[in-house]
Amino acid sequence: MERLTYVNEETGYTVARVATDRSSDLVTVVGALLGAQPGESLRLQGRWSSHPQYGRQFEVDSYTTVLPATIQGIQRYLGSGLVKGIGPVFAERIVAHFGLDTLRIIEEEPNRLVEVPGLGPKRTAKITAAWEEQKAIKEVMVFLQGVGVSTSLAVRIYKQYGDASTDVVTKEPYRLAADVWGIGFKTADTIARSVGIPHDSPQRVMAGLQYTLSEATDSGHCFLPEPNLVADATKILDVPTDLVARCLEDLVSGEGVVREMLPHADGQMLPAVYLVPFYRAERSLASSLLRLLHDHADRLPHFHSVDWDKALTWLKARTGHDLAPEQQQAVRLALTSKVAVLTGGPGCGKSFTVRSIVELAAAKKAKVTLVAPTGRAAKRLAELTGHPAATVHRLLQLRPGGDPSYDRDNPLDVDLLVVDEASMLDLILANKLVKAVPPGAHLLLVGDVDQLPSVGAGEVLRDLLTAPAIPRVRLTQIFRQAAQSGVVTNAHRINAGKPPILQGLPDFFLFASDDNDDTAALTVDVACTRIPAKFRLDPRRDVQVLTPMHRGPAGAGALNTLLQHKLTPHRENQPERRAGGRVFRVGDKITQIRNNYDKGQAGVFNGTLGIITHLSAEEQTLTVRTDEDENIDYDFDELDELAHAYAMTIHRSQGSEYPAVVIPLTTSAWMMLQRNLLYTAVTRAKQLVVLVGSRRALAAAVRTVGAGRRHTTLAHRLG
């Protein structure tokens, strides 16, 4: 194989160019070449066909890897990055020394590798280990490929189970969905079918029920009403309803899930079914908040007897500004109530109110801690208040596996904990955080409840605002300076269901286009050329494209390809790595797409942004500098944890702010065109918003109120 031209990461469909003995020209081959890499020698089985546009090509049904037999082939094979520790330079030296005997030496006498100039014992040991692992993986892969597993997943299965991989896949294929990142129920189900597990097996139905609940949590729900769960699972599994109901009873009695009678919106009691971690987290969060709220101890006792007129006069002298009446109310509430919520839209003074609360608490020598869910939000909070701020994950010092160093038994040493961008807090993270707050401390949650809810399950901020027990202040007054901003003005108009003003504003524009492909091209032009030229902004650092959807011509996937081509194009002799359908290069802007507790000082989390600063084909690693200024190394087989972030979905942008935001709106994203989505995108911009696309799509987004409420009962549990 000479090069990969196209890879669809979801289906494994590949277009590649191969060199054969029979022709001096490269041949195009197409099909499921799962995991094959340039430099490998392959034996392909299939048929010749003629494509109307691309001409003669070979359609691959199956392939096997063949160890190369020529000097050039061996050198190419070893230098392709398949074996960790051997890059093109060492491949050339090894082959120059051992010739056609190279592969036998590595296989049978690997200690002789030290004969090669520059190869010491350390690198030799590394190459030997990598070769053995490669061999073991290949054996497992041959089996897994036979049951329809892609190579990238096969590597992960092998890492999870080692030599037991074949056994697990054959006897307990549904375990894969729970244990292996990237394998969902559908993939496990396909494997189960190919190893002979019956369609109506209880093992399959119970796995399907848990998958249905897991999908619901991915959509933000903490539980599903039992009738919804049974109906959804029956549809997914294509089995009789009574079988699903019976298997659900088995799951409940086996403690695989939890069932509880809860009040429904219509006033009736309804059985709700939870996955165990979400049930425990919801109950624990509610009890932790109530315990905090009603605790007799108080770590900020001074503020119950303070002269507020005097305190506010002192504060004005410190900050140079008066507080509006509702801001004064928020300051008093945060310093006298042990749990409080502060919400409001852009330009209403949330940040200045938080700064005022922190100033007063610090004046009384209180221990103040500031946190936010993302690195960018934490940095912004530190800039606004002049006090250090951390991410929630770093504050709690999450360890591998996700357990925090701080919890109820080992609480934080804090008098006032301020959590910004609280709309992003999902149920699981909120529970970990609140459990670590010591008795008597004050907890202030700050966020804009009209933004999109958290990516993870729950609607913590909204639930707290609807729970009568929790004190809250909503800021509504837009300050004069903010009112002069077109971004702020239009954010509030959109939130109120009014169309944005598109004429005469220096910081809010629409480039109209009704064709989806034209919209994509125009988006790239605006982000890479027009904004940098007019506003002197850096297209990679300062401009962020935010789109409603991942798919489609103007979705994040397609736009990332176009933007990467423009901003970080392919260059000869520059290292790059293809993983699935993506190509990674030094300088690429990327985002982490899953929580990984085993990386970095305190884990790397879904939504973390960074830039690729180093890439080594020889070591099979790349390094990312995150927006928390930490260098994180990724092995090449971990690259499906990363996605490009030149363009990202609006959901992924929560908690971040950018100087300029470009938002493509097309009618192909019709299902996603909702008011809180557009409002969230617009409020990510500090200086400039450019909408690109269809006026009809814009009108639909402003008009359409977001999807219904999520299934949560935190507000009910708070009484």
Side-chain angles (χ1 to χ4, degrees):
M1 180 184 281
E2 290 290 333
R3 66 175 180 269
L4 291 162
T5 307
Y6 168 79
V7 181
N8 182 314
E9 60 188 300
E10 289 175 14
T11 63
Y13 178 79
T14 302
V15 180
R17 301 280 280 162
V18 302
T20 69
D21 297 339
R22 298 177 190 174
S23 167
S24 57
D25 295 330
L26 295 182
V27 173
T28 299
V29 297
V30 300
L33 286 160
L34 301 160
Q37 294 289 347
E40 282 190 290
S41 295
L42 308 172
R43 181 174 288 119
L44 308 174
Q45 290 186 306
R47 73 196 73 78
W48 289 100
S49 66
S50 183
H51 190 279
Q53 187 177 349
Y54 300 113
R56 191 165 184 256
Q57 54 191 31
F58 190 76
E59 293 183 23
V60 179
D61 291 330
S62 64
Y63 82 91
T64 51
T65 305
V66 184
L67 290 177
T70 66
I71 293 277
Q72 189 185 11
I74 292 168
Q75 187 174 317
R76 188 81 198 276
Y77 178 73
L78 287 179
S80 66
L82 279 166
V83 183
K84 209 169 188 174
I86 305 180
V89 174
F90 279 113
E92 193 176 341
R93 286 189 201 168
I94 293 167
V95 174
H97 190 79
F98 294 116
L100 288 172
D101 224 13
T102 296
L103 299 180
R104 187 194 65 76
I105 296 287
I106 297 174
E107 174 77 34
E108 296 171 14
E109 303 176 76
N111 55 327
R112 284 189 59 196
L113 286 171
V114 293
E115 297 171 18
V116 178
L119 275 187
K122 198 173 173 185
R123 190 180 285 270
T124 300
K126 195 175 186 180
I127 291 169
T128 307
W131 182 265
E132 284 303 315
E133 187 184 26
Q134 188 71 20
K135 214 169 63 177
I137 288 174
K138 278 273 197 272
E139 286 167 17
V140 173
M141 279 187 189
V142 170
F143 164 72
L144 292 174
Q145 220 174 332
V147 293
V149 180
S150 76
T151 308
S152 61
L153 293 182
V155 170
R156 223 170 292 139
I157 290 169
Y158 183 80
K159 277 193 162 181
Q160 179 74 28
Y161 305 116
D163 295 337
S165 301
T166 306
D167 227 32
V168 172
V169 169
T170 311
K171 295 173 185 164
E172 304 174 87
Y174 292 104
R175 260 182 73 186
L176 301 175
D179 295 349
V180 182
W181 148 251
I183 295 187
F185 173 79
K186 288 179 181 171
T187 306
D189 202 31
T190 305
I191 296 167
R193 195 178 314 127
S194 52
V195 297
I197 288 178
H199 187 70
D200 58 356
S201 145
Q203 182 190 353
R204 176 175 184 264
V205 177
M206 285 196 267
L209 279 160
Q210 288 178 305
Y211 164 72
T212 307
L213 282 172
S214 176
E215 285 285 284
T217 62
D218 286 348
S219 301
H221 301 295
C222 298
F223 67 87
L224 279 180
E226 186 173 322
N228 302 33
L229 171 60
V230 171
D232 291 352
T234 300
K235 197 170 166 186
I236 289 165
L237 294 163
D238 189 26
V239 294
T241 305
D242 61 336
L243 174 61
V244 173
R246 279 202 311 278
C247 288
L248 177 57
E249 291 304 322
D250 292 344
L251 261 181
V252 171
S253 58
E255 299 182 357
V257 298
V258 176
R259 180 165 53 199
E260 186 181 7
M261 296 302 288
L262 292 170
H264 194 246
D266 59 9
Q268 300 291 311
M269 296 300 281
L270 201 67
V273 184
Y274 288 82
L275 290 172
V276 175
F278 295 93
Y279 176 72
R280 287 181 179 155
E282 196 172 73
R283 290 191 58 172
S284 168
L285 177 57
S287 66
S288 297
L289 285 165
L290 291 172
R291 190 163 51 247
L292 262 184
L293 192 60
H294 300 307
D295 203 290
H296 294 304
D298 194 335
R299 294 179 68 145
L300 296 177
H302 328 281
F303 291 101
H304 290 286
S305 55
V306 81
D307 180 335
W308 282 103
D309 290 337
K310 200 171 167 185
L312 294 170
T313 304
W314 175 86
L315 192 60
K316 185 184 176 182
R318 288 277 294 180
T319 63
H321 295 283
D322 274 320
L323 288 170
E326 55 189 19
Q327 290 179 305
Q328 291 181 22
Q329 186 194 345
V331 169
R332 289 186 189 199
L333 188 69
L335 295 170
T336 57
S337 174
K338 289 190 277 289
V339 178
V341 178
L342 172 62
T343 190
C348 292
K350 286 197 304 296
S351 299
F352 184 67
T353 306
V354 169
R355 184 183 154 196
S356 302
I357 292 163
V358 171
E359 289 279 0
L360 283 169
K364 292 292 185 186
K365 303 288 188 287
K367 293 171 182 168
V368 179
T369 299
L370 308 179
V371 290
T374 66
R376 281 192 170 220
K379 272 185 181 173
R380 194 175 76 247
L381 185 58
E383 286 162 11
L384 291 166
T385 59
H387 285 257
T391 61
V392 178
H393 306 97
R394 279 182 187 266
L395 176 73
L396 297 178
Q397 294 177 16
L398 296 190
R399 298 185 293 256
D403 291 327
S405 300
Y406 292 100
D407 54 19
R408 190 165 293 145
D409 299 326
N410 180 34
L412 297 159
D413 183 14
V414 60
D415 301 327
L416 170 65
L417 178 63
V418 179
V419 187
D420 198 15
E421 294 287 356
S423 62
M424 291 185 69
L425 274 187
D426 61 47
L427 175 66
I428 300 289
L429 189 58
N431 178 46
K432 285 178 179 166
L433 179 62
V434 176
K435 267 203 290 201
V437 180
H442 288 227
L443 172 67
L444 174 65
L445 295 149
V446 184
D448 184 349
V449 76
D450 295 318
Q451 285 182 27
L452 289 167
S454 56
V455 175
E459 295 190 283
V460 173
L461 185 65
R462 188 176 293 277
D463 283 344
L464 294 184
L465 285 165
T466 54
I470 305 294
R472 86 291 310 267
V473 172
R474 183 167 193 142
L475 303 179
T476 54
Q477 181 186 332
I478 303 171
F479 289 91
R480 191 173 70 244
Q481 190 181 349
Q484 292 165 357
S485 154
V487 175
V488 171
T489 301
N490 278 338
H492 284 279
R493 287 181 67 87
I494 290 163
N495 202 30
K498 297 175 187 170
I501 298 162
L502 299 171
Q503 298 292 326
L505 294 174
D507 59 354
F508 203 103
F509 302 91
L510 169 69
F511 285 84
S513 164
D514 287 327
D515 179 87
N516 293 346
D517 290 317
D518 289 349
T519 296
L522 187 52
T523 299
V524 173
D525 187 37
V526 166
C528 300
T529 309
R530 299 191 191 203
I531 289 177
K534 184 172 172 61
F535 295 96
R536 299 280 178 264
L537 293 172
D538 181 279
R540 191 188 274 106
R541 191 183 61 243
D542 301 328
V543 182
Q544 184 61 53
V545 175
L546 298 178
T547 167
M549 291 179 70
H550 184 75
R551 297 175 188 277
L559 283 170
N560 267 315
T561 303
L562 296 172
L563 288 159
Q564 183 194 35
H565 182 68
K566 190 89 170 172
L567 295 172
T568 318
H570 168 75
R571 288 194 173 89
E572 285 299 324
N573 303 321
Q574 288 297 311
E576 56 182 48
R577 175 66 181 185
R578 183 179 290 276
R582 305 183 180 112
V583 181
F584 292 99
R585 300 180 183 128
V586 171
D588 271 342
K589 185 174 173 179
I590 57 88
T591 181
Q592 175 84 10
I593 57 173
R594 69 172 284 230
N595 289 346
N596 186 333
Y597 298 99
D598 302 328
K599 283 203 167 295
Q601 290 173 11
V604 186
F605 299 92
N606 191 348
T608 298
L609 291 167
I611 300 285
I612 296 175
T613 54
H614 178 72
L615 194 153
S616 166
E618 197 169 288
E619 296 303 319
Q620 294 187 35
T621 61
L622 60 76
T623 304
V624 173
R625 179 81 171 170
T626 72
D627 55 6
E628 292 180 59
D629 300 321
E630 187 178 3
N631 291 322
I632 307 285
D633 292 328
Y634 290 82
D635 288 338
F636 282 173
D637 59 17
E638 298 175 310
L639 296 187
D640 53 357
E641 295 188 15
L642 300 178
H644 291 102
Y646 299 102
M648 66 172 85
T649 61
I650 296 164
H651 279 90
R652 286 207 156 273
S653 72
Q654 286 171 265
S656 293
E657 263 193 354
Y658 315 92
V661 164
V662 182
I663 308 166
L665 294 170
T666 65
T667 49
S668 66
W670 204 255
M671 293 299 292
M672 297 298 291
L673 295 174
Q674 294 169 0
R675 189 182 300 165
N676 62 348
L677 197 78
L678 180 58
Y679 173 75
T680 300
V682 168
T683 54
R684 300 306 88 216
K686 286 193 277 194
Q687 296 165 252
L688 174 70
V689 170
V690 183
L691 307 177
V692 181
S694 152
R695 290 179 186 274
R696 190 163 153 250
L698 171 60
V702 172
R703 187 175 62 240
T704 309
V705 179
R709 293 292 303 274
R710 296 175 167 189
H711 291 300
T712 76
T713 51
L714 179 61
H716 163 70
R717 293 183 194 280
L718 288 165

